[in-house]
Amino acid sequence: MISHTDVEKLLSMRAAGPVVLSLYLPVPLDPAAVRGLAAEAGDLMADAGTSGPDDASTAGVSAADRDFVLDALAASGRDWLGHTVAFFACGALGLFEALPLPCFVPERGVLAARPHVRPLLAALQRCPDYRVAIADRRHAWVLSVTGNQVHTVARKDDQGPRSPGFGGWYGLETHRVQQRIIQLGRHHYRDTAAILRQAHDADRTVPLVIGGHHDSIAGLLHALPPAVREAFAGSFAADPHTLTPARIHELASPVIENWQARRERELAEEIVGQAPGRLAAVGLPASLAAVNQGAVARLLVAHDGLIPGFVCGRCGAVCAGTHECPDWASAARAVPDLVEEMVQRTLDEDGQVTVIRDAPFSTAAELRFPVTSQAGRR
Ligand SMILES: [Zn+2]
């Protein structure tokens, strides 16, 4: 599955002109429907590069890049059932990637100077890796979820077979944690909390879901160190006896989805409401001005579709129209998506990007410093 490292790697690639193909293709669950995908991919690739603001078609997708996509589909289409796959191809850069995404994104074909990563970011944000913990008197189970893959980090079941020397746990990697579990053996909240703490220390960005009976959810939550408790995203009620990894995935996924949606909503409200101490730009023109002045700490993107525009080849300004940059007439380059340009510029300058659903703006930004004019650079 993809990670933010893949996004960084993709964004490090840059061609002289609009010759990098980015193709997002949802693969249906039905194996019989896979045969029709080649035609759909072909249509998307034929349309890519014709969406410039001035209707100027580019040279189109190269034969080698098109063949890469079609060959990959023929070879691996059946491995991708039910997944959206992102293809990135540019023979000139030696770029040929086919990445199955952790969640659905709509189909899209784009030809630009860099890989089009906006849908990739949305998928990473909406279907993040997460952990699940279940603990009561008899059971303790810690799992990690990446996309559709569920992996047991550690498990103990008082009624199941015990592995000698591990107090019934398996999957534990360090002697230190094993020792703690032996000492705390009867208290599953505390030993589960110790494992979660170790996992949290390894990666602090991963949210946590707790499952089980109501009182055991509260018991484990109470036993967590404060830093781990901050990663708590929500819980689901279930009888631990009945749980399988597949069922846990099914119950935990909506918890993560709701947590993510809540975070997006809160962030949008803080920006629109101009929460105290926060400088913000709301709307496309104000966000463009902020991007062009290097003022964006965090870009919020609500708009799903492409907004064609221009980038000035001389000063680098990103513009919606033709009059905003003093030297644009001699140096402007048409781009298929202004929002993607803003996203890339923000990431290039170590800002953050968050995709927002149902926001009252197309784009908005949290600023590092005030922007001098709403309208643009002058
Ligand atoms: Zn310029």
Side-chain angles (χ1 to χ4, degrees):
M1 278 293 170
I2 55 158
S3 68
H4 283 280
T5 314
D6 294 306
V7 177
E8 277 168 34
K9 205 176 92 189
L10 286 166
L11 283 184
S12 71
M13 309 197 104
R14 192 190 294 261
V19 294
V20 180
L21 170 69
S22 306
L23 179 71
Y24 291 86
L25 192 67
V27 178
L29 260 175
D30 177 9
V34 171
R35 245 172 291 138
L37 271 182
E40 208 175 318
D43 289 347
L44 284 170
M45 287 191 278
D47 289 345
T50 58
S51 59
D54 50 2
D55 292 329
S57 303
T58 59
V61 178
S62 79
D65 296 350
R66 191 169 46 235
D67 288 350
F68 160 71
V69 171
L70 298 177
D71 290 350
L73 266 179
S76 308
R78 279 163 190 275
D79 300 333
W80 293 328
L81 298 179
H83 285 280
T84 299
V85 181
F87 300 88
F88 300 98
C90 177
L93 295 176
L95 169 66
F96 296 101
E97 295 270 9
L99 307 169
L101 305 186
C103 52
F104 171 86
V105 302
E107 62 177 29
R108 172 173 296 180
V110 178
L111 211 47
R114 293 172 87 181
H116 180 90
V117 299
R118 199 141 68 85
L120 205 57
L121 292 173
L124 276 172
Q125 185 189 315
R126 286 175 187 167
C127 299
D129 294 355
Y130 61 92
R131 293 189 189 100
V132 183
I134 291 144
D136 61 13
R137 278 175 193 283
R138 290 209 167 131
H139 311 83
W141 198 357
V142 177
L143 307 98
S144 71
V145 181
T146 299
N148 289 328
Q149 289 166 327
V150 184
H151 163 74
T152 291
V153 176
R155 184 175 190 181
K156 183 176 188 173
D157 183 341
D158 284 357
Q159 289 169 331
R162 287 170 178 251
S163 45
F166 290 86
W169 289 88
Y170 75 88
L172 297 175
E173 273 142 35
T174 72
H175 179 71
R176 190 172 57 82
V177 170
Q178 285 163 22
Q179 287 308 105
R180 289 179 76 167
I181 286 157
I182 290 161
Q183 286 159 17
L184 303 169
R186 286 166 303 161
H187 305 280
H188 291 337
Y189 298 148
R190 292 175 65 190
D191 48 25
T192 304
I195 289 166
L196 289 172
R197 185 193 194 135
Q198 192 191 34
H200 183 77
D201 286 347
D203 187 347
R204 291 161 190 272
T205 63
V206 179
L208 169 69
V209 176
I210 300 179
H213 296 297
H214 283 293
D215 52 345
S216 64
I217 292 168
L220 177 57
L221 204 49
H222 183 73
L224 292 177
V228 181
R229 207 178 304 148
E230 264 176 44
F232 176 63
S235 62
F236 61 85
D239 179 355
H241 280 100
T242 64
L243 289 175
T244 60
R247 182 69 183 142
I248 288 170
H249 183 240
E250 205 173 272
L251 292 167
S253 292
V255 175
I256 286 294
E257 222 166 89
N258 289 340
W259 168 78
Q260 188 56 46
R262 192 168 65 238
R263 277 166 36 119
E264 290 174 20
R265 211 163 42 237
E266 284 168 4
L267 201 52
E269 280 165 11
E270 280 172 34
I271 299 293
V272 172
Q274 309 258 344
R278 288 208 173 189
L279 288 167
V282 178
L284 187 64
S287 305
L288 277 170
V291 166
N292 286 332
Q293 291 180 38
V296 177
R298 182 193 292 271
L299 185 70
L300 308 189
V301 176
H303 196 276
D304 261 351
L306 304 178
I307 302 178
F310 302 89
V311 171
C312 175
R314 194 163 295 149
C315 69
V318 185
C319 304
T322 58
H323 54 276
E324 291 154 52
C325 176
D327 43 20
W328 98 272
S330 56
R333 175 168 63 76
V335 292
D337 185 22
L338 274 183
V339 183
E340 174 74 17
E341 298 295 326
M342 295 163 77
V343 164
Q344 294 183 2
R345 187 76 63 82
T346 301
L347 294 174
D348 288 347
E349 292 173 358
D350 294 322
Q352 293 182 296
V353 173
T354 306
V355 181
I356 308 269
R357 278 162 280 201
D358 309 321
F361 51 73
S362 57
T363 57
E366 189 180 347
L367 306 178
R368 299 182 207 269
F369 51 82
V371 172
T372 47
S373 157
Q374 281 284 96
R377 291 160 62 253
R378 56 188 64 203

